[in-house]
Every structure is written in structure tokens, then in C-alpha cells.
Amino acid sequence: KNELVINVPDIRAIYYKSQGDYVTALNSYQEVQSFYPSSSVPHFFKADLYYRLNDIEQTKNELQKAALKAELNEQNNFPEIYLFYGDVFMDEEESELALDQYQLAYDLVQDDVFYLQMLKARYEEHEFQTELAELEETIAMLEAKLQAEQEALSTKNESVLAE
């Protein structure tokens, strides 16, 4: 049997993760991290692997590093860091810490209905009623704004076609 040899570390990490070989994937993400030391991305993916290995302390450690690097460079900042971090805190029944992370995610996505819906699902699941009510109001306003923009565009298109 010929063994597959993958020389690109990020591809290798993805491959081994897909094969369920999380330790080899972790080693590959460590290599990726050495190439991109200021990036939050390898830490995020290492956190996911540690989570799959049920190592919650290492999961939180990697998410903390990802959040710190994201804070230092906004190009490395993405909402999944905080959604995942919040989820881990909820697993640990640390709802206040989870809510702090969800708020950081909200700060990044407050105009993105897709991500707000993801956040809404978490608020519903964990019964964060006050935050849920505020979020539903925000989503309703954004959806109304999007619908008004679509109607205005449709009206404009109809008038152009009528000419």
C-alpha cells in the first residue's frame, strides 16, 4: 500500500483531521503556526482538535491565544473564535464568560444576519432571554432594511426596463 505524502502543512493538517488522526493534525497545525506566528487561525484549529480530544484546558488555552492574536491584528479576527470560545464556556457551565465571548462575536457581526442567526440559536439554547430579545430586534431591523433595499432596487430595475 502506498502511503499518501502531503508536504504542505495546512493541507496535511486538514487531511489528518478528516482521517480522525488528531494528534498528527495538531503537529501539522503547530508547523503552520511556526510559519505564521502572528496568526490566530492555527490556534483556532488547534483548539478544535483539542476539543475533539476532550482536552478542554488546552482548547481554552488555544482559544485564548487565538483571541489575543485576533485582538492584536484585526485581519486575524473572525467571529468563530468567540462563538466557539463561548460554546466551550457553556459546556463548562460558565455562562457569564460565555456571554462575554458571544458579545465579542456580536461586535464583529452586528450587520450580518447570517451570523446573528447563529448567535440567536445559542441565546435560545442557553435561555439568555434579555440578550435574545435585543438580538431579535436587531435582526428584525436588519431584515427590514434589507427588504427595503431590495424593493428599492426592484423598483429602479422596473423603471429602467420601462424606458
Side-chain angles (χ1 to χ4, degrees), residues 3-120:
E3 188 174 322
L4 180 64
V5 177
I6 303 170
N7 294 317
V8 181
D10 46 349
I11 304 284
R12 187 170 50 240
I14 293 166
Y15 172 76
Y16 283 109
K17 178 182 174 185
S18 75
Q19 298 299 305
D21 185 348
Y22 301 142
V23 174
T24 303
L26 273 168
N27 292 334
S28 296
Y29 278 122
Q30 185 65 40
E31 190 177 347
V32 172
Q33 186 179 322
S34 71
F35 291 128
Y36 305 101
S38 64
S39 177
S40 61
V41 175
H43 293 288
F44 175 79
F45 286 113
K46 285 171 64 180
D48 176 56
L49 291 166
Y50 281 120
Y51 189 78
R52 292 167 188 263
L53 291 166
N54 294 315
D55 188 338
I56 300 306
E57 285 311 306
Q58 276 300 104
T59 300
K60 292 195 303 192
N61 186 30
E62 291 299 330
L63 285 169
Q64 183 179 31
K65 290 176 186 177
L68 179 62
K69 289 183 178 184
E71 189 179 309
L72 294 172
N73 180 351
E74 73 178 49
Q75 285 184 312
N76 288 310
N77 210 357
F78 51 99
E80 289 85 354
I81 294 171
Y82 310 106
L83 292 172
F84 185 16
Y85 210 175
D87 294 346
V88 170
F89 280 129
M90 285 308 302
D91 288 349
E92 298 286 294
E93 298 181 6
E94 299 180 57
S95 60
E96 288 300 316
L97 293 173
L99 224 86
D100 291 344
Q101 295 303 313
Y102 293 152
Q103 182 60 48
L104 290 169
Y106 173 81
D107 292 344
L108 289 176
V109 300
Q110 53 192 309
D111 293 326
D112 187 322
V113 173
F114 173 77
Y115 279 106
L116 293 177
Q117 293 288 3
M118 290 173 65
L119 203 49
K120 177 183 172 189

